[in-house]
């Protein structure tokens, strides 16, 4: 569809003329999806209009004062599950899952990492054995954010142990309410249990919950992982926005704490934040032309380093951690801007772990972006069942 910015604005105006943003929140979001104003670059009938991704920014500006999505709770569904379902799902799967995913009626989580398969995900041991039209899944997953309020999960499991580790994997949608799914909380440095370990014991999944071909799970998972890193590190941010805005606020509020050294650090971080922000804009333009590449790893790496430096400076400027409640509790979502500086400082420590550790991302950048020689991998062609454990 050949649509320009003016036509998108007209569509939004017509939509608002028919749907009251101050009425029922869920009905408004459902109507927005049906109008193609959820993800405008998605196909018509699936929340989009089949137009350029850059026009999404126009929609967001025009609908800025209407009900918004909960990015903290819906982040995995929006940033990881949705693009994977779009790329590999059947038409039936797309129509079943995308609408309630976008509206937030169904929350998603990610069942990838395991106690023995984190940095080297392809060594994962969770098994899925076919039984007629179903798969029986057994295993353990870990670091699963939001599993305690999720309806669905994206799951990678081993379906063939007799081939090398990357070739024996299959990708599924897991029903988190199925018998045999057990979610246990994991306490974080903030005192909250935002993520979990998940035990899968005899979980039965119908074959129509499989995404992609049997044995092609690694390729499907790469789509998820590349989108994950863009979602974490490449989200749109205005100039001087994000965590930088909170640091600038502290700088203006406490002139008595300023020093030459702190001023130099702030200027350096401002430059880094601008470079990261503009790099993110370029990456999103590349996304409009196709699937994300390894450059998303660079964005996520930069985001983690910058976020930790900014939250550290924020606490230093305020001279107060502002966080004195480490009571164990379940958190509903991740909110960097609605919480205090102490929470931001502690929570940012996880930015260099979640979505791929900074160490692994450096390997990806060196090999796939810079073209440097890869590390020796002696297990690459060895059947998974013969790998030492």
């Amino acid at each position: 569809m050949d649509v320009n910015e003016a036509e998108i604005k007209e569509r939004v105006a017509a939509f608002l003329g028919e749907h009251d943003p101050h009425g029922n929140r869920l009905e408004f979001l459902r109507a927005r999806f049906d109008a193609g104003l959820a993800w405008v670059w998605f196909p018509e009938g699936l929340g989009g209009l089949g137009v350029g991704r850059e026009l999404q920014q126009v929609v967001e500006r025009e609908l800025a004062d209407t009900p918004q999505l909960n990015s903290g709770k819906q982040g995995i569904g929006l940033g990881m599950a949705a693009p994977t379902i779009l790329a590999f799902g059947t038409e039936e799967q797309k129509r079943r899952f995308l609408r309630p995913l976008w509206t937030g009626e169904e929350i998603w989580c990610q069942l990838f990492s395991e106690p023995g398969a984190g940095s080297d995900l392809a060594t994962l041991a969770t098994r899925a054995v076919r039984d007629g039209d179903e798969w029986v899944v057994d295993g353990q997953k870990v670091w699963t954010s939001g599993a305690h309020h999720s309806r669905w999960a994206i799951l990678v499991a081993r379906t063939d142990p007799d081939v090398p580790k990357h070739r024996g994997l299959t990708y599924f949608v897991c029903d988190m309410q199925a018998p045999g799914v057990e979610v246990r909380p994991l306490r974080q440095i903030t005192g909250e249990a935002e993520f979990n370990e998940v035990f899968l014991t005899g979980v039965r999944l119908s074959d129509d919950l499989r995404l992609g071909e049997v044995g092609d799970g690694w390729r499907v998972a790469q789509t998820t992982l590349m989108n994950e890193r863009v979602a974490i590190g490449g989200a749109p941010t205005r100039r001087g926005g994000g965590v930088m805005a909170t640091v600038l606020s502290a700088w203006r509020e406490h002139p008595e704490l300023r020093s030459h050294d702190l001023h130099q650090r702030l200027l350096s971080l401002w430059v880094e934040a601008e470079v990261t922000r503009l790099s993110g804009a370029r990456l999103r333009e590349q996304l409009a032309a196709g699937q994300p590449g390894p450059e998303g790893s660079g964005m996520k790496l930069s985001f983690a380093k910058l976020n930790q430096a900014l939250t550290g400076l924020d606490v230093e400027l305020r001279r107060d951690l502002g966080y004195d409640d480490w009571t164990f509790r379940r958190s509903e979502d991740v909110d960097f801007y609605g919480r205090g500086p102490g929470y931001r400082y502690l929570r940012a420590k996880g930015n260099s772990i979640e979505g791929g550790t900074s160490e692994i991302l450096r390997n990806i950048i060196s090999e796939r972006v810079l073209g440097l020689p890869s590390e020796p991998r002696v297990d690459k062609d060895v059947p998974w069942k013969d790998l030492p454990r």
Side-chain angles (χ1 to χ4, degrees), residues 39 41-42 53 75-88 110 112 154 171 219-236 283-284 286-288 290-297 299-300 354-356 361 364 368:
W39 301 288
W41 68 96
F42 274 41
R53 190 184 185 115
I76 291 173
L78 296 170
M80 299 163 62
T84 308
I85 293 169
L86 181 65
F88 292 96
Q110 178 193 23
F112 277 30
I154 44 179
Y171 197 114
R219 184 168 70 97
V220 182
Q222 287 305 300
T223 296
T224 303
L225 294 172
M226 291 301 103
N227 278 284
E228 175 186 29
R229 286 152 194 169
V230 173
I232 294 176
L283 182 61
R284 289 190 297 277
Q286 292 174 340
L287 274 176
Q291 290 294 324
E295 296 83 1
S297 297
M299 280 302 307
K300 197 272 177 179
E354 58 194 343
L361 295 183
I364 293 173
R368 303 185 195 174

Side-chain angles (χ1 to χ4, degrees), residues 58-299:
V58 180
V59 174
E60 299 302 337
R61 287 197 300 268
E62 296 297 305
L63 295 176
D65 296 325
T66 67
Q68 300 296 304
L69 307 183
N70 184 332
S71 59
K73 183 180 287 188
Q74 294 177 249
I76 291 173
L78 296 170
M80 299 163 62
T84 308
I85 293 169
L86 181 65
F88 292 96
T90 64
E91 287 304 312
E92 183 179 353
Q93 288 170 333
K94 294 172 188 176
R95 295 189 182 280
R96 163 62 185 87
F97 292 122
L98 289 176
R99 188 177 189 250
L101 180 157
W102 190 83
T103 61
E105 294 170 81
E106 295 179 345
I107 303 301
W108 288 66
C109 63
Q110 178 193 23
L111 299 176
F112 277 30
S113 294
E114 298 181 8
S119 297
D120 188 2
L121 179 62
T123 60
L124 64 85
T126 294
R127 288 292 310 277
V129 178
R130 190 150 195 170
D131 181 17
D133 292 332
E134 293 183 319
W135 296 83
V136 182
V137 183
D138 290 276
Q140 179 186 357
K141 298 291 183 175
V142 75
W143 316 130
T144 307
S145 298
H148 51 294
H149 49 230
S150 291
R151 175 65 182 85
W152 299 100
I154 44 179
L155 164 71
V156 181
R158 187 162 304 283
T159 50
D160 188 350
D162 297 320
V163 297
K165 58 183 182 180
H166 292 87
R167 298 209 296 268
L169 304 174
T170 302
Y171 197 114
F172 299 92
V173 170
C174 179
D175 183 352
M176 293 296 289
Q177 295 179 358
V181 177
E182 180 186 359
V183 177
R184 300 180 188 175
L186 288 172
R187 186 172 183 173
Q188 297 157 247
I189 193 175
T190 60
E192 300 179 0
E194 174 192 314
F195 49 57
N196 313 265
E197 52 185 346
V198 178
F199 294 85
L200 306 164
T201 307
V203 178
R204 288 187 168 269
L205 303 176
S206 61
D207 189 56
D208 60 10
L209 292 176
R210 172 171 48 83
L211 279 182
E213 299 300 321
V214 176
D216 199 29
W218 184 253
R219 184 168 70 97
V220 182
Q222 287 305 300
T223 296
T224 303
L225 294 172
M226 291 301 103
N227 278 284
E228 175 186 29
R229 286 152 194 169
V230 173
I232 294 176
T237 306
R238 63 178 174 80
R239 189 169 184 258
V243 179
M244 174 58 76
T246 66
V247 176
L248 293 174
S249 175
W251 180 263
R252 297 186 184 105
E253 292 171 5
H254 300 283
E256 73 283 1
L257 300 180
R258 300 173 190 169
S259 68
H260 175 74
D261 175 63
L262 290 177
H263 190 213
Q264 293 303 307
R265 285 169 57 191
L266 179 60
L267 290 175
S268 177
L269 289 172
W270 172 273
V271 171
E272 187 174 344
E274 275 298 281
V275 170
T276 301
R277 183 181 71 84
L278 295 173
S279 296
R282 183 175 66 177
L283 182 61
R284 289 190 297 277
E285 290 176 357
Q286 292 174 340
L287 274 176
Q291 290 294 324
E295 296 83 1
S297 297
M299 280 302 307

Side-chain angles (χ1 to χ4, degrees), residues 31-57:
R32 178 176 166 181
F33 182 94
D34 295 339
L37 299 174
W39 301 288
V40 296
W41 68 96
F42 274 41
E44 293 186 66
L46 298 176
L49 299 171
V51 300
R53 190 184 185 115
E54 69 279 359
L55 292 173
Q56 185 70 29
Q57 299 179 38

